[in-house]
Amino acid sequence: MGVHKGTFWSPHGNFLAFYRKDESMVSNYPLVDISKRVAVVENTRYPMAGMKSEQVTLGIFNVKEKKTIFINTGELKDQYLASITWDPSEKYIYIGLLNREQNHLRLNKYDILTENLSIHFLKKKMINMLSRKIHCIF
């Protein structure tokens, strides 16, 4: 999916968008650290196929007001939030919503003042990505 970081500064540095991840519903999975003389079991949260995955939301911190809002994507929580991009005016943020099956991607524009969806891009287009068909709605 290409996510390499979890924070996204607005163009003029007035806002900081960030991922918030809740893994409380994800099962622990034991990993054995064999690099120690006596092996140590370390549990990590790992969403097994068919089981619950973590829920991710996008927060926006207003640097001047020292206030945080969380964007209402209006979607199921079982999704990826990808391609986080700021509008040059800092009034809008774009978020790609990708389902867990990774075959349906929708790009939405959110107004950060109202905290709600401003524009939903609806143009349908099929693309082939890594030999899997991805349905894009822009």
Side-chain angles (χ1 to χ4, degrees):
M1 195 172 74
V3 176
H4 302 286
K5 62 180 185 169
T7 58
F8 311 89
W9 280 104
S10 64
H12 304 293
N14 295 312
F15 301 94
L16 177 64
F18 60 93
Y19 289 124
R20 178 176 67 176
K21 184 166 69 166
D22 178 4
E23 295 180 312
S24 62
M25 69 291 297
V26 178
S27 300
N28 276 321
Y29 186 81
L31 295 177
V32 178
D33 181 358
I34 60 171
S35 67
K36 313 266 191 239
R37 180 161 187 203
V38 176
V40 177
V41 174
E42 296 176 7
N43 285 315
T44 186
R45 301 282 181 171
Y46 186 79
M48 301 287 191
M51 297 178 75
K52 291 193 178 240
S53 294
E54 69 266 357
Q55 295 176 351
V56 179
T57 53
L58 190 77
I60 297 178
F61 177 70
N62 183 322
V63 175
K64 291 178 184 172
E65 296 180 15
K66 301 200 182 328
K67 177 184 168 192
T68 300
I69 62 166
F70 288 92
I71 297 295
N72 176 14
T73 61
E75 297 292 322
L76 299 173
K77 293 184 185 261
D78 201 23
Q79 65 185 353
Y80 295 109
L81 304 181
S83 303
I84 309 302
T85 306
W86 283 95
D87 179 83
S89 71
E90 297 188 338
K91 293 179 182 177
Y92 305 100
I93 193 164
Y94 297 89
I95 305 172
L97 303 174
L98 181 64
N99 66 346
R100 289 284 174 186
E101 292 82 16
Q102 298 185 24
N103 62 358
H104 187 257
L105 174 67
R106 186 169 61 226
L107 183 65
N108 287 346
K109 178 181 175 184
Y110 294 89
D111 183 325
I112 66 165
L113 297 177
T114 65
E115 304 174 24
N116 288 314
L117 178 65
S118 170
I119 295 177
H120 173 87
F121 295 92
L122 295 172
K123 184 177 177 188
K124 292 184 180 182
K125 180 180 178 184
M126 293 287 292
I127 62 172
N128 190 351
M129 182 176 182
L130 301 175
S131 67
R132 292 176 64 189
K133 289 186 178 178
I134 309 290
H135 302 276
C136 293
I137 300 178
F138 294 107

